[in-house]
Amino acid sequence: EVQLVQSGAEVKMPGESVKISCKASGYSFTNYWIAWVRQMPGKGLEWMGIIYPGDSDTRYSPSFQGQVTFSVDRFVNTAYLQWSRLKASDTAIFYCARYGEAGATATPVDHWGRGSLVTVSS
Amino acid sequence: DIVMTQSPDSLAVSLGERATINCKSSQSVLDSSSNENYIAWYQQKAGQPPRLLIYWASTRESGVPDRFSGSGSGTDFTLTISSLQAGDVAVYYCQQYYNTPQTFGQGTRLEIK
């Protein structure tokens, strides 16, 4: 069974850094692209970008380029999303999600993590 | 970027009645070589992650009840729930995966009348 288990809620102050995780199981981690999706409080879904665990090829949405960093650790089948300097406007739920076809991004996302809430407040 | 626009923003339908949600893309998401439309529909219930319902505009994901159907081509798409059940209360999103960034519609909130 494919599972994406995300790390727990984080409460941070503006200017702090944070790294959230998404641990994959039940499939070959290195063969499927992972997407990160933001959902601000009471708002819709925003596609942040994608990373291919096989070679760490990364593509960011222009809206998030330079604001966040995607990474993976192939030894522990985990993808990461990190910020170096948080802002209050970064408060949101962040989902990791797996694409449905090995090696492809022009395909729907078919498995989602349960989300990680990041709260940034002074 | 391809802009996805859903209508209506919210919808109230009686139990057992039909619900229809529309999605329009700012450019065609039809691949002429494969004749596939790169459109997915997701359902998000309160406090839950999204769930894939429909992909390639009209293919139902495994386990999705057949009262859910998708249609359309090019730039105009529709999600139809043929007979609304109480468990269908949710926000529904369309998404294009034709190119990056893979944009979502703003969502349509579906409630029981």
Side-chain angles (χ1 to χ4, degrees), chain A residues 45 112, chain B residues 21 40-46 48-54 64-65 67-68 79 81 84-94 104 108 110:
Chain A
L45 304 172
W112 294 71
Chain B
I21 299 169
W41 288 95
Y42 297 90
Q43 174 194 64
Q44 188 179 32
K45 297 182 178 180
Q48 296 185 19
R51 172 197 181 194
L52 176 65
L53 296 177
I54 302 285
V64 173
R67 65 178 182 275
F68 291 90
L79 175 69
I81 307 172
L84 191 69
Q85 307 295 303
D88 299 334
V89 169
V91 180
Y92 292 84
Y93 296 92
C94 61
F104 291 92
T108 295
L110 177 59

Side-chain angles (χ1 to χ4, degrees), chain B residues 2 4 7 18 28 49 55 62 64 72-73 79 81 84-85 87 91 96 103-104 110:
Chain B
I2 297 177
M4 307 299 291
S7 61
R18 178 185 301 259
S28 177
Y55 56 97
S62 175
V64 173
S73 185
L79 175 69
I81 307 172
L84 191 69
Q85 307 295 303
V91 180
Q96 64 80 19
T103 42
F104 291 92
L110 177 59

Side-chain angles (χ1 to χ4, degrees), chain A residues 10-31:
Chain A
E10 301 273 4
V11 180
K12 295 291 185 180
M13 297 187 66
E16 291 188 322
S17 63
V18 71
K19 189 174 187 177
I20 64 175
S21 65
C22 170
K23 184 171 176 60
S25 62
Y27 72 98
S28 178
F29 177 64
T30 54
N31 288 351

Side-chain angles (χ1 to χ4, degrees), chain B residues 7-82:
Chain B
S7 61
D9 289 334
S10 63
L11 181 63
V13 174
S14 300
L15 290 173
E17 296 299 305
R18 178 185 301 259
T20 301
I21 299 169
N22 301 300
C23 175
K24 188 175 185 67
S25 57
S26 61
Q27 65 187 73
S28 177
V29 294
L30 171 64
D31 182 273
S32 55
S33 60
S34 65
N35 202 37
E36 294 282 10
N37 289 280
Y38 287 54
I39 288 290
W41 288 95
Y42 297 90
Q43 174 194 64
Q44 188 179 32
K45 297 182 178 180
Q48 296 185 19
R51 172 197 181 194
L52 176 65
L53 296 177
I54 302 285
Y55 56 97
W56 302 124
S58 61
T59 301
R60 204 176 300 114
E61 173 72 334
S62 175
V64 173
D66 60 8
R67 65 178 182 275
F68 291 90
S69 63
S71 62
S73 185
T75 61
D76 292 280
F77 302 92
T78 300
L79 175 69
T80 302
I81 307 172
S82 60

Side-chain angles (χ1 to χ4, degrees), chain B residues 93-105:
Chain B
Y93 296 92
C94 61
Q95 184 206 21
Q96 64 80 19
Y97 48 94
Y98 185 76
N99 61 19
T100 58
Q102 295 181 346
T103 42
F104 291 92

Side-chain angles (χ1 to χ4, degrees), chain A residues 39 47 95 99 105 107 109 113, chain B residues 42 44 49-50 56 93 97 101-102:
Chain A
Q39 188 164 40
W47 188 89
Y95 294 100
Y99 283 84
T105 58
T107 185
V109 164
Chain B
Y42 297 90
Q44 188 179 32
W56 302 124
Y93 296 92
Y97 48 94
Q102 295 181 346

Side-chain angles (χ1 to χ4, degrees), chain A residues 63-75:
Chain A
S63 299
F64 293 92
Q65 179 80 49
Q67 308 303 308
V68 298
T69 302
F70 305 153
S71 60
V72 298
D73 184 335
R74 286 180 282 276
F75 294 103

